Amino acid sequence: MTVDRILPSDEAYDLLDLVTELADRELAPRAGDFEQRGVFPRELLRTLGRAGLLGLPYPEEHGGAAQPYEVYLQVLEILASRWLAVAEAVSVHTLSCHPVATFGGEQVRKLLPDMIGGELLGAYCLSEPQGGSDAAALTTRAVPDGGDYVVSGTKAWITHAGNADFYNIFCRTGGPGARGISCLLADAGTPGIVPQAAERTMGLRASPVAQIAFDEARVPTDRLVGAEGEGFRIALSALDSGRLGIAACAVGLAQAALDYATDYARQREQFGRPIIDFQGLGFLLADLATQVSAARALMLAAARLRDAGRPYSTEAAKAKLFATDTAMRVTTDAVQVLGGAGYVADHPVERYMREAKVLQIVEGTNQIQRLVISRSLAR
Ligand SMILES: Cc1cc2nc3c(=O)[nH]c(=O)nc-3n(C[C@H](O)[C@H](O)[C@H](O)COP(=O)(O)OP(=O)(O)OC[C@H]3O[C@@H](n4cnc5c(N)ncnc54)[C@H](O)[C@@H]3O)c2cc1C
């Protein structure tokens, strides 16, 4: 189904056409096979990088494409509708460039063109085995020694662990709580940074996720992003943007499931009629279509606030919450629309359903999004 979009420039229409063509050619035919084998499509990400898709929202002077967030998110949405793991990889990479692009001093900013140039891949290391939602309690420590910080501890659930070229490490340089946290940018080849075996995940199997052990890894002090003690603020700022990326992934996935289920319901006949003609099923699809449109509208409203330089944190939380809950519902109901066929791997909807679940968990669970929204109401 074609989504009717109003975009801010002719360039944006061209970009979305190009992305659609690229996603149809490079992503859609590979997704099922790579997901089944659990292979990370690293080369494909280089292809996207060379097409300029790994630095879309960043300024041209740093090698980005200076696209408004509303355009970048719709690119992600199209990628996600063909292959969620690739869209998520682009979103995580873009999130991983945010600390340096937004808070980095001159020293680290000179690394940006390489980071968003297309050859390198980034990772964002906040979560730990003992602290996910309560990220301010993190315990990975960085101790100054000569011209380095010596980093020790363990990060958990790190997307691109073992495949990334650079890591944003949120670590404790001061006392307890949010104010004792700093952000370091480390090269993946740094001795003492040891990615562990990949987790065996329910879905998104083409997206590598693993713990990373930091065993007295020495990171030069000029790789400090922002000031000492500013790390938690940087982490949350990156997450505000990242949550919009996850919302876009969710909208794309939900659209793919809706399209597949609608197509099936038009063709499948029971009792002598296409099953979409039974009101029980037609109304179900109508509700799903409405939810997908609403999720997209919420995501774009938050993105436009961001593009206008206005506060958008609460709206980003609402968009992430609603879009990912919508993706879970739409993918689950898409399995129902296909009946028995929905439950087998011959059709992609069972994979979509497994993939949707993680979107309700990453970059702040949906309980944490509700916390963000309710706190803003209480203020
Ligand atoms: C596939 C995958 C990829 C990931 N990628 C990354 C990554 O690249 N970088 C990174 O840093 N992290 C990553 N994560 C980690 C993810 O952000 C965390 O899993 C998430 O923040 C939840 O933390 P947790 O798993 O420790 O759960 P916990 O914090 O232990 O939460 C357990 C449950 O308690 C609920 N809960 C916790 N606190 C509250 C509260 N105050 N009120 C109500 N409910 C609450 C949660 O919502 C959840 O349902 C990834 C996770 C997965 C599964």
Side-chain angles (χ1 to χ4, degrees), residues 88 92 95 123-134 156-160 201 204 209 358 361-368 371:
E88 201 233 9
V92 168
L95 163 83
Y124 174 93
C125 311
L126 179 65
S127 304
E128 298 186 350
Q130 303 308 322
S133 300
D134 187 9
W157 308 113
I158 305 307
T159 300
H160 300 159
T201 52
L204 268 192
V209 174
V358 79
I361 296 171
V362 291
E363 301 201 16
T365 64
N366 283 3
Q367 283 77 20
I368 296 303
L371 205 69

Side-chain angles (χ1 to χ4, degrees), residues 110-369:
K110 66 177 195 255
L111 303 169
L112 254 186
D114 281 344
M115 291 165 65
I116 60 188
E119 292 296 322
L120 303 184
L121 192 66
Y124 174 93
C125 311
L126 179 65
S127 304
E128 298 186 350
Q130 303 308 322
S133 300
D134 187 9
L138 64 82
T139 60
T140 296
R141 185 155 273 289
V143 180
D145 181 46
D148 298 326
Y149 286 103
V150 180
V151 184
S152 304
T154 306
K155 292 291 176 183
W157 308 113
I158 305 307
T159 300
H160 300 159
N163 293 270
D165 300 289
F166 60 89
Y167 294 108
N168 290 273
I169 311 166
F170 295 93
C171 47
R172 195 161 294 287
T173 51
R179 294 212 176 123
I181 295 171
S182 298
C183 175
L184 300 178
L185 179 77
D187 294 330
T190 307
I193 297 186
V194 190
Q196 308 293 299
E199 305 286 354
R200 293 178 301 140
T201 52
M202 175 193 290
L204 268 192
R205 290 183 183 144
S207 173
V209 174
Q211 289 197 357
I212 301 182
F214 293 88
D215 182 13
E216 301 195 342
R218 299 189 82 91
V219 180
T221 48
D222 64 11
R223 292 300 193 89
L224 177 70
V225 182
E228 263 200 18
E230 214 184 358
F232 198 64
R233 190 163 83 85
I234 296 173
L236 293 189
S237 162
L239 281 178
D240 282 343
S241 295
R243 282 168 186 165
L244 287 178
I246 297 301
C249 287
V251 172
L253 183 68
Q255 183 72 58
L258 172 67
D259 290 350
Y260 200 91
T262 304
D263 218 34
Y264 187 89
R266 279 204 211 113
Q267 289 173 35
R268 174 75 175 171
E269 292 194 2
Q270 289 296 288
F271 304 96
R273 299 156 67 184
I275 57 173
I276 199 167
D277 288 348
F278 297 113
Q279 198 179 69
L281 212 75
F283 277 19
L284 172 70
L285 287 164
D287 283 348
L288 301 186
T290 306
Q291 297 235 326
V292 175
S293 296
R296 181 178 295 111
L298 206 50
M299 167 192 91
L300 290 176
R304 286 170 185 149
L305 282 176
R306 187 189 190 281
D307 287 331
R310 306 260 286 275
Y312 68 97
S313 225
T314 309
E315 298 312 303
K318 289 179 193 167
K320 195 270 180 182
L321 168 65
F322 187 78
T324 60
D325 280 357
T326 295
M328 195 68 249
R329 179 179 170 195
V330 174
T331 55
T332 306
D333 283 344
V335 170
Q336 192 70 18
V337 169
L338 268 72
Y343 198 65
V344 294
D346 298 352
H347 298 273
V349 287
E350 63 83 29
R351 169 162 66 81
Y352 294 160
M353 182 177 157
R354 287 185 286 104
E355 291 177 341
K357 188 65 217 170
V358 79
L359 300 174
Q360 295 179 303
I361 296 171
V362 291
E363 301 201 16
T365 64
N366 283 3
Q367 283 77 20
I368 296 303
Q369 307 308 321

Side-chain angles (χ1 to χ4, degrees), residues 59-119:
E60 281 170 336
E61 80 228 50
H62 298 310
Q67 286 299 312
Y69 232 67
E70 67 163 307
V71 175
Y72 157 64
L73 293 182
Q74 292 181 81
V75 167
L76 276 186
E77 189 196 319
I78 290 168
L79 296 176
S81 68
R82 284 15 178 228
W83 190 355
L84 181 64
V86 172
E88 201 233 9
V90 174
S91 178
V92 168
H93 175 80
T94 306
L95 163 83
S96 304
C97 296
H98 180 95
V100 173
T102 313
F103 296 90
E106 213 177 301
Q107 191 63 24
V108 276
R109 274 169 88 92
K110 66 177 195 255
L111 303 169
L112 254 186
D114 281 344
M115 291 165 65
I116 60 188
E119 292 296 322

